[in-house]
Amino acid sequence: MQNPRTTLRPFDRDGIRDAEAARPFVHVLADTSDKLARVCSILEERFAVAGERLDAEAKLSQVPFAIVIRAELRDLDNIAAIKKRAGKLAKAKKRIFLIEDTSHVGVSQAYALGATLVLPGTISRAKLLLALSDPADPSSASSGETAQFDDAVEIGATAFASMFTAVTLDQPLDVDGTKEAGRQIADRITEHGLSEWLTTVRRHHEGTYQHCLIVTGVAIDFGLSLGVGRADLERLYSAAMFHDIGKAQIPLAILDKPGRLDAEERAVIETHPAAGYEFLKGHGKISPEILDAVRHHHEYLDGSGYPDALCAETIGDIVRILTISDIFAALIEHRHYKPTMPRAEAYDILRGMAGKLEKALVTAFKPVALTR
């Protein structure tokens, strides 16, 4: 009988069996033998698979295409074991966590440990295999870039995980840490541009965190293209970092639902700007401008937005920029259940929102949307 504390698949000197070398290599980590066997059985038809228990000695010698982790993250020993493997985790293109805990706390914990995608609840063969397929994104990175995880993306995702956890558990918010993450994203985009940022974020994250990272990147690049000063750029990336914090109070079943929301679900989603505002307004380090952006980033110039149905003269400049960035990001982000919309098509949708978005800003946004 196989020792459950050793690897499920034998390794050769390269960490993978020769007969499977032509297939993408996926490494599986789990906290029990049953969980390990279940995940490996799903994957082995399509991938070269190796697995090990978290309480076993780490034996991974080759960087895999993906790492799949199925473990109880309320167990401190499991968290410690995952952190011990952080170096190898960071090099994998995809890091998918399968967790039974469907709360925001559980999901945030997984992202804080380096997940690129979290699949909460009962394990689904179809969802897992789909998540391991490549995004329908025509842009691609070199193999060296793929293997090297982008620090700014990791820092940003960790900041979002920290924010969501703070909201869920009503804990103190690390405002300075979040703003510092925004500054590092701004530095990264200033140096390497928006297109590189979008490619890197899509490669490493999906769902709500991907959206927040893309919104922040788009807003920063929009600000840079407009030539705003450093203080205004800081206001802009801070607003982008905090804008969706109210989504921490939205059930994940609604927040990550594939396909169109029904009227009741849409009403729940539309509570997030006011919820975020209510959580942040007691924090002395959050300026009135940032609070305004958090509450009003879904307002339109014609008064058809929410939650306050503001009209043109009452919507500030930062909010107008953030709203355009938010809509564009939502259109171009990658979800494992739908193809990625081309940037030109997303820009055409913005241009079609006449009367809702400021025309001059939409025109100025064109190079950001198409070429930067």
Side-chain angles (χ1 to χ4, degrees), residues 14 30 112 120 124 136 155 176 185 300 367:
D14 294 320
S124 165
I155 290 167
D176 291 336
I185 295 172
Y300 292 137

Side-chain angles (χ1 to χ4, degrees), residues 186-244:
D187 290 345
R188 179 73 184 185
I189 291 173
T190 300
E191 182 178 357
H192 295 282
L194 178 63
S195 292
E196 190 265 1
W197 177 255
L198 296 177
T199 299
T200 306
V201 170
R202 288 189 186 122
R203 192 165 66 233
H204 293 299
H205 285 281
E206 290 202 26
T208 301
Y209 290 8
Q210 182 197 107
H211 175 72
C212 292
L213 288 164
I214 291 179
V215 171
T216 302
V218 171
I220 287 169
D221 197 62
F222 196 4
L224 291 172
S225 74
L226 293 171
V228 302
R230 188 165 187 84
D232 285 334
L233 187 65
E234 180 179 345
R235 293 186 189 97
L236 193 53
Y237 67 64
S238 296
M241 290 291 290
F242 288 114
H243 85 286
D244 266 350

Side-chain angles (χ1 to χ4, degrees), residues 31 35 54 69-79 82 97-101 105-111 113 115 118:
D31 54 359
K35 291 180 183 179
L54 282 169
I69 297 177
R70 189 181 182 197
E72 172 55 71
L73 298 186
R74 287 170 289 196
D75 187 311
L76 296 180
D77 290 336
N78 288 342
I79 292 174
I82 293 170
F97 280 59
L98 310 174
I99 61 173
E100 295 178 8
D101 184 0
V105 175
V107 174
S108 295
Q109 177 70 73
Y111 279 115
L113 289 168
V118 181

Side-chain angles (χ1 to χ4, degrees), residues 118-139:
V118 181
L119 298 177
T122 304
I123 186 170
S124 165
R125 180 180 184 277
K127 286 184 179 179
L128 178 55
L129 292 176
L130 188 59
L132 285 167
S133 64
D134 282 330
D137 180 6
S139 58

Side-chain angles (χ1 to χ4, degrees), residues 76 87 148 168 184 195 227 276 303 309:
L76 296 180
Q148 182 178 10
T168 304
Q184 294 200 35
S195 292

Side-chain angles (χ1 to χ4, degrees), residues 7-79:
T7 56
L8 192 70
R9 294 274 187 256
F11 286 96
D12 64 11
R13 67 178 183 274
D14 294 320
I16 183 172
R17 294 184 297 173
D18 290 334
E20 297 181 331
R23 295 192 291 170
F25 172 36
V26 177
H27 192 72
V28 181
L29 297 170
D31 54 359
T32 70
S33 297
D34 289 345
K35 291 180 183 179
L36 187 63
R38 168 66 174 143
V39 176
C40 288
S41 69
I42 292 173
L43 301 178
E44 59 190 3
E45 291 183 8
R46 298 191 187 181
F47 302 95
V49 180
E52 64 186 52
R53 288 251 305 248
L54 282 169
D55 56 359
E57 181 182 353
K59 295 184 178 181
L60 180 60
S61 59
Q62 177 176 320
V63 175
F65 157 72
I67 292 179
V68 178
I69 297 177
R70 189 181 182 197
E72 172 55 71
L73 298 186
R74 287 170 289 196
D75 187 311
L76 296 180
D77 290 336
N78 288 342
I79 292 174

